[in-house]
Amino acid sequence: MVIYHLIQLLKQQPIRGEVILVPNCNPVGTNIKAGEYTLGRFDPVNGTNWNRGYFYDESLIHDFAQSVQDEESIEQIKERFRQQIKQILADKLEEPWGIGLAQRLNLKLQQLAFDADFVLDLHNGPVSTRHIYVPEYAKASASLFNIPHVILIPNKFAGALDEATFCPWWTLQTLLSDKRQQLVEFGVEAFTLEMGSQEVINFSEGEYDADSILAYLNAKGCLLGSDVQPQSMRRIATMLKNYKVLYTQQGGMVEYLAKPGETVKKGQPLAKLLNVDELDTPNATELMLAECDLIPMLHFPSASILSGTQLYKCFTEYFEL
Amino acid sequence: MVIYHLIQLLKQQPIRGEVILVPNCNPVGTNIKAGEYTLGRFDPVNGTNWNRGYFYDESLIHDFAQSVQDEESIEQIKERFRQQIKQILADKLEEPWGIGLAQRLNLKLQQLAFDADFVLDLHNGPVSTRHIYVPEYAKASASLFNIPHVILIPNKFAGALDEATFCPWWTLQTLLSDKRQQLVEFGVEAFTLEMGSQEVINFSEGEYDADSILAYLNAKGCLLGSDVQPQSMRRIATMLKNYKVLYTQQGGMVEYLAKPGETVKKGQPLAKLLNVDELDTPNATELMLAECDLIPMLHFPSASILSGTQLYKCFTEYFEL
Amino acid sequence: MVIYHLIQLLKQQPIRGEVILVPNCNPVGTNIKAGEYTLGRFDPVNGTNWNRGYFYDESLIHDFAQSVQDEESIEQIKERFRQQIKQILADKLEEPWGIGLAQRLNLKLQQLAFDADFVLDLHNGPVSTRHIYVPEYAKASASLFNIPHVILIPNKFAGALDEATFCPWWTLQTLLSDKRQQLVEFGVEAFTLEMGSQEVINFSEGEYDADSILAYLNAKGCLLGSDVQPQSMRRIATMLKNYKVLYTQQGGMVEYLAKPGETVKKGQPLAKLLNVDELDTPNATELMLAECDLIPMLHFPSASILSGTQLYKCFTEYFEL
Amino acid sequence: MVIYHLIQLLKQQPIRGEVILVPNCNPVGTNIKAGEYTLGRFDPVNGTNWNRGYFYDESLIHDFAQSVQDEESIEQIKERFRQQIKQILADKLEEPWGIGLAQRLNLKLQQLAFDADFVLDLHNGPVSTRHIYVPEYAKASASLFNIPHVILIPNKFAGALDEATFCPWWTLQTLLSDKRQQLVEFGVEAFTLEMGSQEVINFSEGEYDADSILAYLNAKGCLLGSDVQPQSMRRIATMLKNYKVLYTQQGGMVEYLAKPGETVKKGQPLAKLLNVDELDTPNATELMLAECDLIPMLHFPSASILSGTQLYKCFTEYFEL
């Protein structure tokens, strides 16, 4: 939906550079179903997450940093680094024994992503409000989108496309800044944007999100003669380590009392559970209370839960940006 | 959820007769999942609908009607008819070559149901508003529940539990009324109550529905000393043949513009589709308009649809009850 | 696999008429998976069998029979009947409220099938040996294929494509034979061919099956200058009512002792079950014995079964053809 | 099946120590199905592998090794190490925000496993022959089972239960051997035994595997007065790094020409593919040839494959043990 609106908006807007839009990144995410709902997070054959097969090897970046000559310009370094990483990705795709489907698709995406200065990975969540993952070094860019919730992530590759994109550049610029004793910046940024709930489509919300992306691109100088600006809004942030998952202890039916985006104080109720095996006992219901002040970003999309279900993901220790 | 509240309410309420509550009718409907959502409408092994394996044989009812003696009282006829049908169900459950799982579960339910005077089959739908299926001969009972939408169904067995329950009694009382030249009534009624959306649990809505059921039971004389009454409300009805399914012609993403329970006039928009294969063409979007005046009862629960998807089920040719 | 070999063989073989090959009849049967195995018998959204949405209305055939003029030739009648049925199918595909996906696909197949004189619906089963469904009126054709097991089916529409194809012709020729007091035959035949096990592909077995089909087509005069003949073999048949399903009474692990195609005498073991909840009790294992002399055609493909599982489908009361 | 036979055999066999049998390690592996086959490798809600949630922290083992006193005996060290690890596992199970279902089940298994001297993790594969994963330090034990194919694995935790069990002990004994300048051995061993194909149950094969396990236990001194011995057989081994997966490049139908356990020479055919989109072109079929001498241990269980499917897992660079 966001890509649809971006196409409409960019048709009327001169741009500097090239915009590549990838509307579909895995073979089941759009319209393969099991039951009435859409699958899409993992390969139904083997459970492989469609978004964890990217390549990252920190030692290669150290080796590359060693190889950088004093006289190389930022642009020369960027170009040479891109060629090297993209060659490795191409080699991996040609492994003689082959590679798995998720990894193959991921490496092809990564080839596209590694050519770009700005990579925006658009996601949605179970039942969710807007939030964005921002690398700490690009914290200033968090305010360029119309997204009120910000997760600041460290320079640690945990498998996702945004990390596979920014970790190499961040590591390299850190190493080169040390080496050259001056700030080296490549201006490459990557973000994961969580747009909302996976089973809700809304044309006007999609247009809002497309505007938000244009505001970022404009701030980065990609739009010619545009005056699109990020909205003024209160932005709340947390560090990735304080973005916490609340798991259930038992299964049953659940009413979600706290809605994504709402502030919940310590001790306030998050959810009320009905234990279907104890309907006629005093243990029939259970309130789950907030362990601390928090803001839920998303909750599980089904009213029927098992033990060990990711019930909520929450901002804790949050602060205003 | 409704059963939980019924238990709480009935603990404090003397009753005439016996109430049997069956909270779970198939092995996957509560907490087996494929992806994040709950399965439950059909056997995932073979696609068999969990609610279409009931027994009905019209010729047996004709034979039974023949066998009724002039001197038999209503109660004697009821008792003898019950014994006969329940014996057939028991025999079917003991077939030497066995029977399929769905059919086995259905016949066991039907054994329970055929002993009862009032059978309420509680369902939920995809994204749905409250509605109830009422046999035409029991139309007067439609106003005893707190349910604003009523589907009147004819004496034709189409496979569901309510029909498997009321069709034999309706047929028998029609045959005997003819034979005796006077109105014969057994006072047996069966309904399918659609409570709402399948992936939404809400304790207060569940209590509302439990109250609605008590109002019906009270009107039928099952509660002692209760003054619970059905609410006064506008009730809209349609005949089953006018309860229509709208199927999609093509797949894509969909925004549901008409909400369940809302009145939609002919020509007004129901849904807006995004054709993901045509994002950059004039065919990217399509409005689906109402073919006639209608009220949607439910829509498909996912925002991603295929061609031939049941997008909406709608009251047409509806009238006030 | 059979279609692949038919293409290779028919390239070198002049034919009379037209051969239409449909390699894929539903959207999930080829390469959509849940787990490691292939789905394909039913729509994973709603459980609808992909092969039960064909059109059949016996009263239309009676009406058509009434309309046949004494002077109409067989060819004229066939042509007119085809046009009428195909028009109905086209109308159904254009229903203003749409139709479900399975029904849509089935009606399109049926449009193709109703134009043909010979319709061969190629299937496979769980773990299965070759068998064929043959309408009783075309029993003589059973020996024209290289298939050793034959199920003779009556003139009763139960939902499948072969029945949707032959029942109208069979009914019509029966009515017209009565009316004209002479044998009327249209020469239209339809069969369901069960080729073997669903998760086994074998190129040479596929070629054997393609040869078998050519033998039939040659006997029907469709091949020019071919001397391909059906193989001489013992052919065993049973009536559809004697083709019986054996269901399990309890779940567990199962060793299939009787292989598809093997003769099993009454009282001999079919399967040995391990009850996983009773591993340390005398009830840990259970032998399932044949209730009568039988030949299994297929058994369930998994070693883990539930209660009510279709364990075997068996010929009983079988005879040599 | 193997546990069933172990129970029968151990009932008649005095043992030294305690044998704990865990017949079922996840909620879907036994009898939950999607389609006709059994799921079981991953959580169908989120794709999490049921066998990768074990705890391992190498730094803890280094700290523990530091804490070991010169005068501590092997038994004292074992006891203290067990208590420490089990306390950590217990703490993790009590995390205030909860943990995911797969991890919870895994940690409970790991609590059991960390108390044991011999841990045998019984698995099965898609279509598979018997093979066993053996830590390099316990290579001598490979010949104590009746399993002809052996994969030798290094001291590197990759997530499975056997590694989660032996890596801590191996690391600790290596550190203490260094520290004490003498060989320290704890005698703890853990193996993953692959018994065969996941959808095949056979009582006599199960008994063979139970005998194999008794032979190992007897060699380890766990059986009293038993003379059960491992069979004399040719045993083939490979290093884990040479146990290679062959992925497909394209989807289609596949005939598996090489059977698990068969020796295949470089250049010999492994599989023949049918490209269903090219049935009438010269690209309809494709032979996949062995890149080097190899022995397949298993192949994919379905005849319908996608691109990027794990077609075969193969021993390469293998040698006689």
Side-chain angles (χ1 to χ4, degrees):
Chain A
M1 179 56 71
V2 179
I3 286 177
Y4 163 70
H5 284 292
L6 281 173
I7 290 171
Q8 312 312 312
L9 293 169
L10 289 172
K11 274 180 177 168
Q12 306 155 10
Q13 168 65 56
I15 56 178
R16 273 179 52 205
E18 183 187 17
V19 176
I20 296 182
L21 303 163
V22 183
N24 193 354
C25 298
N26 75 58
V28 303
T30 305
N31 58 10
I32 301 298
K33 291 173 174 296
E36 296 160 308
Y37 299 88
T38 310
L39 299 178
R41 300 193 181 284
F42 57 88
D43 185 331
V45 176
N46 49 37
T48 308
N49 190 313
W50 291 121
N51 197 33
R52 290 295 179 276
Y54 303 100
F55 167 78
Y56 182 69
D57 182 342
E58 189 158 322
S59 68
L60 280 172
I61 304 165
H62 286 263
D63 293 348
F64 184 88
Q66 294 282 345
S67 80
V68 171
Q69 305 297 317
D70 287 350
E71 64 276 13
E72 276 189 291
S73 71
I74 294 294
E75 279 315 304
Q76 285 171 323
I77 297 168
K78 281 178 76 170
E79 173 64 18
R80 195 159 65 82
F81 191 49
R82 280 187 165 133
Q83 291 313 318
Q84 183 169 323
I85 298 287
K86 283 163 55 190
Q87 186 57 51
I88 292 167
L89 298 173
D91 291 348
K92 289 202 159 285
L93 282 164
E94 294 303 318
E95 290 262 336
W97 287 68
I99 55 176
L101 179 55
Q103 193 183 5
R104 179 197 301 264
L105 297 169
N106 283 179
L107 293 181
K108 287 184 178 178
L109 274 182
Q110 197 173 357
Q111 286 181 314
L112 290 175
F114 219 76
D115 254 346
D117 281 334
F118 310 115
V119 174
L120 309 180
D121 190 8
L122 309 190
H123 283 227
N124 52 36
V127 171
S128 177
T129 190
R130 281 185 188 87
H131 52 291
I132 183 169
Y133 290 84
V134 173
E136 290 174 13
Y137 78 91
K139 183 176 168 180
S141 292
S143 303
L144 301 177
F145 297 93
N146 299 330
I147 300 180
H149 305 103
V150 177
I151 301 156
L152 294 170
I153 47 179
N155 190 5
K156 183 160 173 247
F157 178 68
L161 177 60
D162 57 349
E163 296 160 338
T165 307
F166 71 66
C167 285
W169 294 109
W170 186 352
T171 302
L172 186 59
Q173 68 191 17
T174 304
L175 293 170
L176 294 182
S177 296
D178 271 9
K179 191 175 178 179
R180 294 191 169 181
Q181 294 293 313
Q182 67 179 74
L183 190 63
V184 172
E185 286 186 311
F186 295 115
V188 178
E189 295 182 351
F191 309 93
T192 296
L193 282 69
E194 297 281 349
M195 313 321 263
S197 303
Q198 60 205 14
E199 288 291 15
V200 177
I201 277 291
N202 183 299
F203 277 76
S204 60
E205 297 292 329
E207 189 166 13
Y208 173 96
D209 287 315
D211 276 334
S212 165
I213 288 169
L214 286 194
Y216 171 76
L217 293 179
N218 196 27
K220 290 294 170 180
C222 302
L223 305 188
L224 292 174
S226 167
D227 58 359
V228 61
Q229 299 286 336
Q231 292 186 14
S232 164
M233 63 169 66
R234 186 166 172 257
R235 289 181 174 83
I236 303 291
T238 197
M239 310 306 290
L240 182 61
K241 68 179 177 187
N242 295 323
Y243 185 39
K244 299 185 74 170
V245 178
L246 177 64
Y247 293 93
T248 52
Q249 301 288 342
Q250 64 167 11
M253 299 289 151
V254 62
E255 178 175 354
Y256 297 94
L257 298 170
K259 301 304 172 202
E262 286 180 4
T263 301
V264 179
K265 289 287 173 193
K266 179 177 175 177
Q268 285 184 336
L270 284 168
K272 187 171 181 184
L273 275 71
L274 183 69
N275 183 345
V276 291
D277 300 322
E278 306 269 358
L279 290 180
D280 55 350
T281 82
N283 299 322
T285 67
E286 180 193 336
L287 267 184
M288 291 185 77
L289 306 179
E291 292 268 333
C292 63
D293 289 5
L294 55 81
I295 305 173
M297 285 300 109
L298 57 87
H299 65 66
F300 194 64
S302 169
S304 162
I305 54 159
L306 309 179
S307 66
T309 294
Q310 278 202 14
L311 197 69
Y312 277 100
K313 287 186 81 171
C314 304
F315 276 25
T316 69
E317 309 284 337
Y318 56 84
F319 50 91
E320 205 156 334
L321 208 64
Chain B
M1 180 55 73
V2 179
I3 286 177
Y4 163 71
H5 284 291
L6 281 173
I7 291 172
Q8 312 312 312
L9 293 168
L10 290 172
K11 275 181 177 169
Q12 306 156 7
Q13 169 64 57
I15 56 179
R16 274 180 51 205
E18 182 186 21
V19 176
I20 296 182
L21 303 162
V22 184
N24 194 353
C25 298
N26 74 58
V28 304
T30 304
N31 57 10
I32 300 299
K33 291 173 172 295
E36 296 160 307
Y37 299 88
T38 311
L39 299 178
R41 300 193 179 283
F42 56 88
D43 186 332
V45 177
N46 49 37
T48 308
N49 190 314
W50 291 121
N51 198 33
R52 292 292 180 278
Y54 303 100
F55 167 77
Y56 183 68
D57 182 343
E58 190 158 321
S59 67
L60 280 172
I61 306 165
H62 286 261
D63 293 348
F64 183 89
Q66 295 282 347
S67 79
V68 171
Q69 306 295 317
D70 286 350
E71 64 277 13
E72 275 189 292
S73 70
I74 293 294
E75 279 315 303
Q76 285 171 323
I77 297 168
K78 280 178 79 171
E79 174 64 16
R80 195 160 64 83
F81 191 49
R82 281 189 164 131
Q83 291 314 317
Q84 184 169 322
I85 297 287
K86 282 164 55 189
Q87 186 58 51
I88 292 167
L89 298 174
D91 291 348
K92 291 204 158 281
L93 281 164
E94 294 304 318
E95 291 261 337
W97 287 68
I99 56 175
L101 179 55
Q103 194 183 3
R104 178 196 303 263
L105 297 170
N106 283 177
L107 294 181
K108 287 183 177 178
L109 275 182
Q110 198 174 357
Q111 286 181 314
L112 290 175
F114 220 77
D115 255 346
D117 281 334
F118 311 115
V119 174
L120 308 180
D121 190 7
L122 309 190
H123 282 228
N124 52 36
V127 171
S128 176
T129 191
R130 281 186 187 84
H131 52 293
I132 184 170
Y133 291 84
V134 173
E136 290 173 14
Y137 77 92
K139 182 175 168 181
S141 292
S143 303
L144 302 177
F145 297 92
N146 300 329
I147 300 180
H149 304 103
V150 177
I151 301 156
L152 294 170
I153 47 180
N155 191 5
K156 183 161 174 247
F157 179 67
L161 176 61
D162 56 349
E163 296 160 339
T165 307
F166 71 66
C167 285
W169 293 110
W170 187 351
T171 302
L172 186 59
Q173 67 190 17
T174 304
L175 293 170
L176 294 183
S177 296
D178 270 10
K179 191 174 178 181
R180 296 191 169 182
Q181 294 292 314
Q182 65 180 75
L183 189 63
V184 172
E185 284 186 311
F186 295 114
V188 177
E189 296 182 348
F191 309 93
T192 296
L193 282 68
E194 296 282 348
M195 314 321 262
S197 302
Q198 60 204 17
E199 288 292 15
V200 177
I201 276 290
N202 183 300
F203 278 77
S204 60
E205 297 291 330
E207 190 166 12
Y208 173 96
D209 287 315
D211 276 334
S212 165
I213 288 169
L214 286 194
Y216 171 76
L217 292 178
N218 197 27
K220 290 294 170 180
C222 302
L223 305 188
L224 292 174
S226 168
D227 58 357
V228 60
Q229 298 285 337
Q231 293 188 13
S232 164
M233 62 170 65
R234 187 167 172 255
R235 290 181 173 81
I236 303 291
T238 197
M239 310 306 288
L240 183 61
K241 68 179 177 186
N242 295 323
Y243 185 38
K244 299 186 73 168
V245 178
L246 177 64
Y247 293 94
T248 53
Q249 300 289 342
Q250 63 167 11
M253 299 290 149
V254 61
E255 179 175 352
Y256 298 94
L257 298 169
K259 302 303 172 201
E262 287 180 3
T263 303
V264 180
K265 289 285 173 195
K266 180 178 175 176
Q268 284 183 335
L270 285 166
K272 186 170 180 184
L273 276 70
L274 183 69
N275 182 344
V276 291
D277 300 322
E278 305 268 358
L279 290 180
D280 56 350
T281 82
N283 300 321
T285 67
E286 180 193 336
L287 268 184
M288 292 186 76
L289 306 179
E291 291 267 334
C292 63
D293 289 4
L294 56 81
I295 304 174
M297 284 300 109
L298 57 87
H299 65 66
F300 194 65
S302 169
S304 163
I305 53 159
L306 308 179
S307 66
T309 294
Q310 279 202 12
L311 197 70
Y312 278 100
K313 287 187 80 172
C314 304
F315 276 26
T316 68
E317 310 283 338
Y318 55 85
F319 50 91
E320 206 156 334
L321 208 63
Chain C
M1 180 55 72
V2 179
I3 286 177
Y4 163 71
H5 285 292
L6 281 173
I7 291 171
Q8 311 313 312
L9 293 169
L10 289 172
K11 273 182 177 167
Q12 305 155 10
Q13 168 64 56
I15 56 179
R16 274 179 52 206
E18 184 185 19
V19 176
I20 296 182
L21 302 163
V22 184
N24 195 352
C25 299
N26 74 56
V28 304
T30 305
N31 58 10
I32 300 300
K33 290 172 174 296
E36 297 160 306
Y37 299 88
T38 311
L39 300 178
R41 300 193 180 283
F42 57 87
D43 186 333
V45 176
N46 48 36
T48 308
N49 190 314
W50 291 122
N51 197 33
R52 290 293 180 279
Y54 303 100
F55 167 78
Y56 182 69
D57 182 342
E58 189 157 321
S59 67
L60 280 172
I61 305 165
H62 286 262
D63 294 348
F64 183 88
Q66 295 281 347
S67 80
V68 172
Q69 306 294 319
D70 287 350
E71 63 277 16
E72 274 189 294
S73 71
I74 294 293
E75 279 315 304
Q76 285 171 325
I77 297 168
K78 281 178 76 170
E79 174 63 18
R80 195 159 65 83
F81 191 49
R82 281 188 165 130
Q83 290 314 317
Q84 183 169 322
I85 297 287
K86 284 164 54 189
Q87 186 57 53
I88 292 167
L89 298 173
D91 291 348
K92 291 204 157 281
L93 282 164
E94 294 303 317
E95 291 262 335
W97 287 68
I99 55 175
L101 180 54
Q103 194 182 3
R104 178 196 302 265
L105 296 170
N106 283 179
L107 294 181
K108 287 185 178 178
L109 274 182
Q110 198 174 357
Q111 286 182 314
L112 289 175
F114 220 76
D115 254 345
D117 282 333
F118 311 113
V119 174
L120 308 180
D121 190 6
L122 310 190
H123 283 228
N124 51 36
V127 171
S128 177
T129 190
R130 282 186 186 87
H131 52 291
I132 184 170
Y133 290 84
V134 173
E136 290 173 14
Y137 78 92
K139 182 176 168 182
S141 292
S143 304
L144 301 178
F145 297 94
N146 299 329
I147 300 180
H149 305 103
V150 177
I151 301 156
L152 294 170
I153 48 180
N155 190 5
K156 183 161 174 247
F157 179 68
L161 176 60
D162 56 350
E163 295 160 339
T165 307
F166 72 66
C167 285
W169 293 110
W170 186 352
T171 303
L172 185 59
Q173 67 190 17
T174 303
L175 293 170
L176 294 182
S177 296
D178 270 9
K179 190 176 180 180
R180 295 193 169 181
Q181 294 292 312
Q182 65 179 75
L183 188 63
V184 173
E185 285 186 311
F186 294 115
V188 178
E189 296 182 350
F191 309 93
T192 296
L193 282 69
E194 296 282 349
M195 314 320 264
S197 302
Q198 60 205 16
E199 286 292 14
V200 177
I201 276 289
N202 183 301
F203 278 77
S204 59
E205 297 291 330
E207 190 167 11
Y208 172 96
D209 287 316
D211 276 334
S212 164
I213 288 169
L214 286 195
Y216 171 76
L217 293 179
N218 197 27
K220 290 295 172 181
C222 301
L223 305 189
L224 291 174
S226 168
D227 58 359
V228 59
Q229 298 285 337
Q231 292 187 14
S232 164
M233 61 169 66
R234 187 165 171 257
R235 289 182 174 82
I236 303 292
T238 197
M239 310 306 288
L240 182 61
K241 67 179 177 186
N242 295 323
Y243 185 39
K244 299 186 73 168
V245 178
L246 177 65
Y247 293 93
T248 53
Q249 300 289 343
Q250 63 168 9
M253 298 291 150
V254 62
E255 178 174 353
Y256 297 95
L257 299 170
K259 302 303 171 201
E262 286 180 4
T263 303
V264 179
K265 290 285 172 194
K266 179 177 176 178
Q268 286 185 334
L270 284 167
K272 187 170 180 184
L273 275 72
L274 184 69
N275 183 343
V276 291
D277 299 323
E278 305 269 359
L279 289 181
D280 56 350
T281 83
N283 300 322
T285 67
E286 179 193 338
L287 268 183
M288 292 186 76
L289 306 180
E291 292 267 334
C292 63
D293 290 3
L294 56 81
I295 304 175
M297 285 299 109
L298 58 87
H299 65 67
F300 194 64
S302 169
S304 163
I305 54 159
L306 308 179
S307 66
T309 293
Q310 279 203 13
L311 198 70
Y312 278 100
K313 287 188 80 172
C314 303
F315 276 27
T316 68
E317 309 284 336
Y318 55 85
F319 50 90
E320 205 157 334
L321 208 64
Chain D
M1 180 56 72
V2 180
I3 286 177
Y4 163 70
H5 285 292
L6 281 173
I7 290 171
Q8 312 313 312
L9 293 169
L10 290 172
K11 274 181 179 169
Q12 306 155 9
Q13 167 65 56
I15 56 178
R16 276 179 51 205
E18 185 186 18
V19 176
I20 297 182
L21 302 163
V22 184
N24 194 353
C25 299
N26 75 57
V28 304
T30 305
N31 57 10
I32 301 299
K33 291 172 173 295
E36 296 159 306
Y37 299 88
T38 311
L39 298 178
R41 300 191 181 284
F42 56 88
D43 186 332
V45 176
N46 49 37
T48 307
N49 190 314
W50 291 120
N51 197 32
R52 291 292 179 279
Y54 303 100
F55 167 77
Y56 183 69
D57 182 341
E58 189 158 321
S59 67
L60 281 172
I61 305 165
H62 286 262
D63 293 348
F64 184 88
Q66 295 281 344
S67 80
V68 171
Q69 306 296 316
D70 287 350
E71 63 277 13
E72 275 190 292
S73 71
I74 293 294
E75 279 315 303
Q76 287 172 324
I77 297 168
K78 282 178 75 170
E79 175 64 17
R80 196 160 64 83
F81 192 48
R82 280 188 165 132
Q83 291 313 318
Q84 183 169 323
I85 297 287
K86 283 163 56 188
Q87 187 57 51
I88 293 167
L89 298 173
D91 291 348
K92 290 204 158 282
L93 282 164
E94 295 303 318
E95 291 261 337
W97 287 67
I99 55 175
L101 179 55
Q103 194 183 4
R104 178 196 303 262
L105 297 170
N106 283 179
L107 294 181
K108 287 184 176 177
L109 274 182
Q110 197 173 358
Q111 286 181 314
L112 290 175
F114 219 76
D115 254 347
D117 282 333
F118 311 115
V119 174
L120 308 180
D121 190 7
L122 309 191
H123 282 227
N124 52 35
V127 171
S128 176
T129 191
R130 282 185 187 86
H131 53 292
I132 183 170
Y133 290 83
V134 172
E136 289 174 15
Y137 78 92
K139 181 176 169 182
S141 291
S143 303
L144 301 177
F145 297 93
N146 299 329
I147 300 180
H149 304 103
V150 177
I151 300 156
L152 294 170
I153 47 180
N155 191 5
K156 185 163 172 243
F157 178 68
L161 176 60
D162 56 350
E163 296 160 338
T165 308
F166 71 66
C167 284
W169 294 109
W170 186 352
T171 302
L172 185 59
Q173 68 191 17
T174 303
L175 292 170
L176 295 183
S177 294
D178 270 8
K179 191 176 178 182
R180 295 192 168 180
Q181 294 293 312
Q182 66 179 76
L183 189 63
V184 172
E185 286 186 310
F186 295 115
V188 178
E189 296 182 349
F191 309 93
T192 296
L193 282 68
E194 296 281 348
M195 314 321 264
S197 302
Q198 60 204 15
E199 287 291 14
V200 177
I201 276 291
N202 183 300
F203 278 76
S204 60
E205 297 291 329
E207 189 166 13
Y208 173 95
D209 286 316
D211 276 333
S212 165
I213 288 169
L214 287 194
Y216 171 76
L217 293 179
N218 197 27
K220 290 294 170 181
C222 302
L223 306 188
L224 291 173
S226 167
D227 58 358
V228 60
Q229 299 285 337
Q231 292 187 13
S232 165
M233 63 169 64
R234 186 166 171 257
R235 289 180 173 83
I236 303 291
T238 198
M239 311 306 290
L240 182 60
K241 68 179 177 187
N242 295 322
Y243 185 40
K244 299 186 74 171
V245 178
L246 178 64
Y247 293 94
T248 53
Q249 301 289 342
Q250 63 167 10
M253 299 290 152
V254 61
E255 179 175 353
Y256 297 94
L257 299 170
K259 302 302 172 202
E262 286 180 3
T263 302
V264 179
K265 289 287 172 192
K266 179 178 174 176
Q268 286 184 336
L270 284 168
K272 188 170 179 183
L273 276 72
L274 183 69
N275 183 343
V276 292
D277 300 323
E278 305 269 357
L279 290 179
D280 56 350
T281 82
N283 299 323
T285 67
E286 181 194 335
L287 268 184
M288 291 185 76
L289 306 180
E291 291 267 334
C292 64
D293 289 4
L294 55 80
I295 304 174
M297 284 301 107
L298 57 86
H299 65 66
F300 194 64
S302 168
S304 163
I305 54 159
L306 308 179
S307 66
T309 294
Q310 280 202 14
L311 197 69
Y312 278 100
K313 286 187 80 173
C314 304
F315 276 26
T316 68
E317 310 283 338
Y318 56 85
F319 50 90
E320 204 156 335
L321 208 64

